[in-house]
Amino acid sequence: MKNQNVIYQQAKQYDSFYLYDESEIIKRIQELKNNFQNVKFLYSIKTNSNANVVKCILSNGFGVDAASVAEVCMGQGEHIQKEDVQYSAPGKTKKNIEDTIRISTLIADSLNEINLIDSVAKEQNMVAKIGVRLNPDFSFDNKEGVASKFGIDEAQFFDKLHDHSSLMNIEIVGLHVHIRSQELDGTKISSYYENVLNLAKRMQVSLGNPLEFINMGSGIGIPYEDSDNAVDISELGERTKELVKAFSKTFTDTRIYIETGRSVVGKCGVYVTKVLDKKISYGKTYVILNNTLNGFIRPSVAQLVTKYGGGGNLAGSEPLYTTKNPSQILVLKEMQETENLEIVELVGNLCTATDVVASNIALPCLEVGDIVVFTNAGSYAAVLSPMQFSSQEPPNELFLTCDEAVM
Ligand SMILES: *Cc1c(COP(=O)(O)O)cnc(C)c1O
């Protein structure tokens, strides 16, 4: 296991912690940047807003996909220019818009919001260049669009185009589309990009002015299960380069963005916790860990969904639930290693029976004090976990720098 010594060392001090690995993050950033040469990346801060992680990614050339005023401010704090801080979220308040209109590129999420941004811009005596998030007439899997709380239905936007052009304090200069996360099929992603570019082309013609940017959203997934295959980044990058080139006559000065969270950091963090207790009840062996549901929620949610999901359609369950086994569970023993496996119920220390990490799982024989490590804990992990529940001491978030310092 990578960083095993660091984990042992830190586990002496902390009963549970995240460890984010800067060198892994930078490796991934380089891979993305090298393969997508005519695309600019935005980091979706909501996936992991740890200050060291954000600083690392933004100082390596990523802009910001912000989902709140606070995330806009993080981008500004790292001196990211306004064009590369895109604030996209449903239900922005007037105050949210007032606070960000001068330091970010606002992406209107509804017809109401287009008007609201115009009125704020008017009050501030400015013309705001904005993007709109459209809910397109296509999807990843079939040709048709689907109902969504995000964005403006494509047809509605084009219907109302005349109303928008009468607004004096905004200029619509960008398109944003994001309809899926965690796609592992690179062919689907590239045909999605092509659909977005075609929509942008239509939009540019209808607006009668050149688009300054197209934000193609996310999509690029990461392998969670052992059976998942990673997206071939070099192949997808190549295909994207060709697509952008094919559209370059249409979009001469248009910036093309891809925003991503998990594909940058998802695999660059682990969650580390310790065995606090062990007991046998009616023949079942329970291993009790520190801060699971309330420290790293993903495995517990996966258990709940598996147990109570009822086989329903799980589309839209991201980023809380991705898959049945969202992490590999690894064991580090302070005492001597053991070859013996034991079937256990792996649970947390909260006063609720829902705090189950894994049921009926075969793991090396665990004793009190042993360390359990969960992989894939770099994204939608600390940020999603209900750490206030039971008022326990939350896990620490540690950042391992390229020169092996722990911050
Ligand atoms: C959350 C989010 C993303 C990031 O998704 P990942 O799967 O982490 O890459 C990108 N765009 C929007 C609009 C989002 O809401």
Side-chain angles (χ1 to χ4, degrees):
M1 189 190 318
K2 205 182 167 213
N3 301 326
Q4 196 161 321
N5 289 339
V6 178
I7 291 171
Y8 270 129
Q9 210 53 39
Q10 297 303 321
K12 287 185 182 148
Q13 275 185 71
Y14 305 115
D15 282 337
S16 62
F17 58 91
Y18 286 90
L19 183 70
Y20 308 125
D21 185 333
E22 183 180 34
S23 66
E24 290 291 318
I25 298 173
I26 290 177
K27 217 159 62 183
R28 184 64 177 168
I29 288 174
Q30 294 307 347
E31 187 187 10
L32 289 168
K33 289 204 319 198
N34 291 341
N35 284 291
F36 289 80
Q37 289 183 359
N38 39 16
V39 167
K40 167 120 194 171
F41 283 95
L42 302 178
Y43 174 51
S44 304
I45 293 183
K46 75 174 194 287
T47 199
N48 184 336
S49 54
N50 176 270
N52 290 311
V53 169
V54 172
K55 201 180 177 71
C56 164
I57 297 172
L58 301 192
S59 64
N60 278 283
F62 274 47
V64 171
D65 160 28
S68 64
V69 175
E71 291 184 357
V72 168
C73 294
M74 288 182 213
Q76 196 200 20
E78 296 300 324
H79 310 291
I80 306 299
Q81 54 181 355
K82 183 177 172 174
E83 286 74 23
D84 294 337
V85 179
Q86 302 201 350
Y87 177 16
S88 183
K92 299 181 201 74
T93 64
K94 180 162 189 251
K95 173 103 177 25
N96 293 158
I97 293 166
E98 287 166 352
D99 289 347
T100 53
I101 196 163
R102 289 186 184 274
I103 55 172
S104 71
T105 300
L106 288 161
I107 310 284
D109 201 77
S110 69
L111 295 172
N112 288 335
E113 214 172 272
I114 294 178
N115 289 302
L116 189 57
I117 297 171
D118 180 71
S119 67
V120 170
K122 193 168 181 179
E123 281 171 21
Q124 299 206 7
N125 270 319
M126 65 182 287
V127 175
K129 289 187 170 188
I130 68 165
V132 288
R133 179 165 176 179
L134 294 190
N135 178 32
D137 285 350
F138 53 82
S139 65
F140 268 70
D141 297 311
N142 53 51
K143 289 269 184 285
E144 274 137 55
V146 287
S148 172
K149 76 167 189 181
F150 299 106
I152 305 164
D153 284 3
E154 181 182 327
Q156 278 183 38
F157 175 76
F158 285 108
D159 278 352
K160 298 279 184 200
L161 214 54
H162 180 73
D163 301 0
H164 310 143
S165 54
S166 66
L167 299 172
M168 299 314 289
N169 293 82
I170 55 158
E171 225 183 296
I172 296 175
V173 297
L175 166 66
H176 178 210
V177 180
H178 169 73
I179 52 175
R180 171 168 296 180
S181 277
Q182 185 50 24
E183 177 58 62
L184 291 173
D185 182 342
T187 320
K188 278 192 186 171
I189 301 173
S190 60
S191 73
Y192 158 76
Y193 290 162
E194 186 170 12
N195 284 332
V196 173
L197 292 168
N198 274 316
L199 171 58
K201 194 169 167 180
R202 215 177 122 216
M203 183 173 168
Q204 179 166 278
V205 171
S206 301
L207 286 171
N209 58 272
L211 282 181
E212 294 185 7
F213 71 88
I214 302 164
N215 179 340
M216 305 196 292
S218 179
I220 305 171
I222 55 170
Y224 285 94
E225 303 267 357
D226 291 335
S227 56
D228 286 344
N229 291 317
V231 177
D232 185 332
I233 291 298
S234 105
E235 196 177 296
L236 180 61
E238 191 54 39
R239 180 78 189 106
T240 307
K241 195 160 81 188
E242 283 166 16
L243 272 173
V244 172
K245 216 165 127 194
F247 280 85
S248 63
K249 277 210 184 70
T250 313
F251 305 117
T252 42
D253 286 318
T254 308
R255 303 185 307 277
I256 312 281
Y257 294 96
I258 289 175
E259 48 187 12
T260 174
R262 85 184 69 211
S263 86
V264 195
V265 288
K267 310 240 13 130
C268 307
V270 292
Y271 184 62
V272 181
T273 182
K274 272 199 236 169
V275 177
L276 302 179
D277 203 355
K278 184 175 183 179
K279 65 174 75 165
I280 294 173
S281 168
Y282 286 88
K284 277 190 179 179
T285 303
Y286 285 84
V287 171
I288 298 174
L289 300 174
N290 190 44
N291 286 350
T292 55
L293 170 64
N294 57 325
F296 179 42
I297 197 177
R298 297 179 69 80
S300 305
V301 169
Q303 285 297 314
L304 281 171
V305 170
T306 307
K307 201 162 164 193
Y308 303 112
N313 180 5
L314 289 167
S317 59
E318 281 286 353
L320 268 164
Y321 173 80
T322 307
T323 183
K324 199 172 166 193
N325 301 296
S327 294
Q328 280 69 53
I329 301 174
L330 310 169
V331 169
L332 282 182
K333 291 181 75 70
E334 280 287 8
M335 298 299 158
Q336 81 231 31
E337 298 296 323
T338 167
E339 295 288 303
N340 296 338
L341 293 182
E342 187 176 31
I343 306 276
V344 298
E345 299 294 303
L346 203 56
V347 300
N349 60 336
L350 285 184
C351 295
T352 160
T354 58
D355 191 9
V356 177
V357 176
S359 186
N360 212 17
I361 183 178
L363 289 175
C365 236
L366 283 163
E367 302 303 333
V368 172
D370 285 346
I371 299 165
V372 177
V373 177
F374 295 82
T375 61
N376 305 330
S379 59
Y380 306 113
V383 291
L384 286 183
S385 303
M387 295 189 186
Q388 290 174 336
F389 187 29
S390 291
S391 307
Q392 309 246 16
E393 197 180 322
N396 254 278
E397 288 185 73
L398 306 176
F399 185 75
L400 179 65
T401 66
C402 291
D403 40 21
E404 303 278 300
V406 177
M407 293 164 75

